[in-house]
Amino acid sequence: MAMDVMPQQGPDSGRPPEPSPQDPYVLPAEGATAVPPPPPTLRTTLRRAAFGAVAAGVLLAGALVAVDDGDGRPKEPGPVERAEAATTAGSPASLSDLTALIGDRQKWVESHPKDAPSLATLGTAYVEWARRSADTAYYARAEQALKRSLEAQPGERGNGAAWLGLAALANARHDFLAAKRWGETVRKQQPKAWNVYPVLIDAYTGLGDRKAATAATETFGELRKGVPALARTADLYRGNGWREDALATAREAADRATQPAEKAEALHRLGELAWERGEPEEAVAQFDAALRTDSGQLTSLAGRARALAALDRTDEALAAYQSALEKLPRPQYALELGELYESLGLDGDARTQYAKLREMVAAAKKDGVDESLVLARFEADHGDPEAAVELLRAQWRGQHRSAAVADALGWALHRAGESEEGLEYAQLAADTGVRNASYAYHLGVIQRELADYGPARRNLEQAVRTDPAFSPLAAPLAQEALDALGEPPPGGPGEMQQPPPPPPAPEPKREPTKKPEQEKKPEAPAPAPSRTAAVKSPSPSASPSAPSSVSPSASKSP
């Protein structure tokens, strides 16, 4: 296949070109992943593993191919070649290069409608564009292109690129169970193909299967050295709460990254780690560096806004959030901006953002994207907690059992008046080890509601110590709750002290009449004994919907 087809528009364009009327890529969404999963047993060996394998001279491991242009000087690769190089190396391509690649493949498949590899490349590029631009309409186009690729060449006949594209599509739509099925099908055929492991890591993480995610990350690191493996390893350490290891690995990834998009992603990760450590100034510096390196690193706009709000630079934070929402309209950012407005007493502006959040969630649903988690977080604190519980129970039944879902469900149950059941889920989120101030705050508040004052104090202290400005609304409430608990009683926690022996039963006797001067002053009431040992989480078996662990591998399927 020729590779010198010019893109339909320049690489500096902000959006990929629209498909021609002869190629109707847009389909109505039929669910999170409309294409049925592959058959469970496939025997034919895949002959092609990665999208981008269609190109002669595709660049491996991020290296650039120098081509003699006839005058003895090497020709610099164009945007299409750079995008191919990045994807082949497992690294992100710049948005401008991704736009050029989409235009190139669109024009090619117009005249070669049965070219399965090119259709797979186009579909996967659509997924990446939609993920990084929050334009969910491109997911339907991706689905159509990938289906056409499989019609031209089934996956069991070597079209593993299309299967991997469908796995990436399912992850982007938050259909992690479907992504797991697609990814595991490819892995059975080619266990040594490194490019299947990133989609499996994302799927296992979304399902809360920490054991499988760890194993996939380790295998990926063995098969694919370099910055991509370091980035995935840093994310694994971060999810387990191993902050020092996560920081060291993330720094190594940033130091070794060479291409702008890859470098910017590594710097963004450093910004996120600084934010979670409660170091907003460092976070702002890293997010700024990411944006200077690659202006298409749009998630850094929202990260920067979050950190600026923590520094009380509210005018800058509001402007940064508005810019982020304009360029990357994600419901989570609308929720964060609404809560910032609410913390400033700007209730009208907050309601406007909350209304936008609902509109975004509804639009995403039409394109097959499940935004139940962010919608439930909004409902729990600003809407209908019972509706939040219903949304999150559905997530849990669908095996979406990550720490984020466990925390949100625990908090929603507490807000709906079911604190005892909520404690189970909030504890599961904390037990993953992730160092998240919001999780610690939620758990501490639930424990205080259940009069479990010792653990409540410890978790609220952890929230405030981890990140004293983790939320413009919740952080002040965490400090107030901690202050209300006061200092622990002298002598250590109640559960570490032997209870006093019961007093002997008094013998009945006649009380003499006391003179006024003989009456004793009333004694101060004794402090209430700690209920740490008395209040326990209900057994998971006590509720049919309650989990036994965050990981579905250690819990019963619903």
Side-chain angles (χ1 to χ4, degrees):
M1 182 187 70
M3 289 303 301
D4 56 353
V5 179
M6 294 297 293
Q8 289 182 328
Q9 60 186 59
D12 296 329
S13 173
R15 292 173 59 88
E18 295 292 324
S20 69
Q22 289 76 22
D23 291 312
Y25 290 104
V26 181
L27 289 181
E30 302 172 14
T33 302
V35 182
T41 57
L42 295 171
R43 295 290 182 262
T44 306
T45 302
L46 298 178
R47 294 190 296 271
R48 296 170 185 169
F51 83 88
V54 298
V58 165
L59 311 177
L60 299 177
L64 297 179
V65 172
V67 180
D68 194 333
D69 62 2
D71 59 3
R73 292 179 300 175
K75 179 181 179 181
E76 290 294 328
V80 174
E81 290 80 13
R82 289 197 301 266
E84 291 168 349
T87 54
T88 302
S91 301
S94 70
L95 287 179
S96 59
D97 290 352
L98 189 61
T99 299
L101 177 63
I102 289 174
D104 180 87
R105 290 301 184 271
Q106 282 182 354
K107 187 171 184 178
W108 177 260
V109 299
E110 285 180 9
S111 56
H112 300 79
K114 298 297 184 180
D115 188 333
S118 288
L119 286 164
T121 299
L122 179 60
T124 306
Y126 277 150
V127 173
E128 183 68 1
W129 174 267
R131 185 183 68 83
R132 293 172 59 187
S133 69
D135 189 345
T136 57
Y138 277 85
Y139 290 135
R141 299 175 184 179
E143 184 176 308
Q144 175 67 353
L146 293 166
K147 287 173 67 175
R148 288 181 58 193
S149 177
L150 289 170
E151 289 171 359
Q153 181 182 2
E156 59 268 29
R157 289 175 48 198
N159 195 2
W163 279 350
L164 287 179
L166 288 170
L169 173 62
N171 275 326
R173 284 173 157 174
H174 304 153
D175 188 352
F176 304 114
L177 197 57
K180 173 186 172 182
R181 291 170 180 160
W182 287 114
E184 288 183 346
T185 300
V186 176
R187 184 178 61 182
K188 288 177 183 177
Q189 301 300 316
Q190 282 199 337
K192 298 300 183 182
W194 62 262
N195 56 347
V196 69
Y197 289 95
V199 296
L200 284 175
I201 293 168
D202 290 341
Y204 293 143
T205 301
L207 294 171
D209 193 341
R210 298 168 61 208
K211 182 178 179 181
T214 299
T217 303
E218 291 173 350
T219 303
F220 180 62
E222 295 169 0
L223 297 174
R224 184 73 189 92
K225 308 294 183 182
V227 175
L230 289 169
R232 290 289 180 171
T233 303
D235 290 341
L236 174 67
Y237 291 159
R238 176 184 176 187
N240 288 333
W242 304 335
R243 284 187 167 179
E244 293 77 9
D245 296 311
L247 179 59
T249 308
R251 281 177 174 166
E252 184 178 358
D255 291 341
R256 294 177 60 178
T258 57
Q259 299 307 308
E262 183 179 63
K263 186 83 168 182
E265 185 179 81
L267 292 168
H268 176 83
R269 182 177 290 102
L270 289 173
E272 290 287 339
L273 289 170
W275 159 253
E276 291 176 356
R277 293 194 308 270
E279 300 175 7
E281 290 185 3
E282 173 68 13
V284 170
Q286 296 291 355
F287 292 134
D288 283 343
L291 289 165
R292 286 195 302 270
T293 303
D294 180 7
S295 60
Q297 182 60 41
L298 301 179
T299 53
S300 289
L301 290 172
R304 185 174 183 274
R306 203 175 296 125
L308 288 169
L311 292 169
D312 288 330
R313 293 162 61 178
T314 51
D315 289 342
E316 295 174 81
L318 291 171
Y321 266 126
Q322 290 162 357
S323 177
L325 275 167
E326 180 182 354
K327 298 176 181 178
L328 195 64
R330 290 179 175 172
Q332 178 65 32
Y333 303 157
L335 176 58
E336 291 177 15
L337 178 55
E339 290 184 339
L340 179 57
Y341 277 133
E342 190 172 339
S343 72
L344 299 172
L346 303 174
D347 294 340
D349 292 319
R351 286 193 295 270
T352 299
Q353 292 304 317
Y354 297 152
K356 289 182 179 178
L357 180 152
R358 290 185 181 278
E359 293 172 1
M360 291 179 190
V361 171
K365 186 176 181 180
K366 291 180 179 179
D367 293 322
V369 183
D370 184 356
E371 293 285 4
S372 295
L373 179 56
V374 65
L375 179 60
R377 285 173 172 162
F378 163 73
E379 293 289 0
D381 281 324
H382 310 284
D384 184 351
E386 293 183 356
V389 170
E390 184 177 350
L391 286 169
L392 292 164
R393 285 199 191 280
Q395 291 287 299
W396 200 266
R397 288 192 299 269
Q399 299 186 34
H400 292 195
R401 301 179 181 183
S402 65
V405 174
D407 165 74
L409 179 52
W411 184 244
L413 284 164
H414 162 72
R415 295 281 293 174
E418 301 291 340
S419 296
E420 289 190 3
E421 186 181 359
L423 178 63
E424 290 184 61
Y425 294 93
Q427 189 65 61
L428 286 173
D431 288 346
T432 62
V434 62
R435 303 285 292 276
N436 187 300
S438 182
Y439 295 2
Y441 162 66
H442 289 160
L443 179 57
V445 169
I446 295 172
Q447 289 168 328
R448 188 185 69 158
E449 176 70 18
L450 297 173
D452 202 357
Y453 299 122
R457 185 181 292 106
R458 288 195 296 273
N459 283 300
L460 290 170
E461 285 176 345
Q462 180 181 332
V464 173
R465 182 174 59 251
T466 298
D467 185 358
F470 65 91
S471 163
L473 283 180
L477 296 177
Q479 186 63 59
E480 289 177 13
L482 182 58
D483 293 342
L485 285 173
E487 295 296 324
E495 65 268 25
M496 297 178 63
Q497 303 177 13
Q498 293 292 333
E507 298 180 0
K509 59 181 180 178
R510 183 178 179 182
E511 292 288 335
T513 304
K514 295 182 180 181
K515 296 180 181 180
E517 62 271 12
Q518 293 176 315
E519 294 181 356
K520 295 182 180 180
K521 295 181 180 180
E523 296 181 358
S530 171
R531 293 186 56 182
T532 302
V535 179
K536 298 182 179 178
S537 312
S539 169
S541 61
S543 172
S545 62
S548 58
S549 75
V550 171
S551 171
S553 63
S555 63
K556 296 181 179 179
S557 299

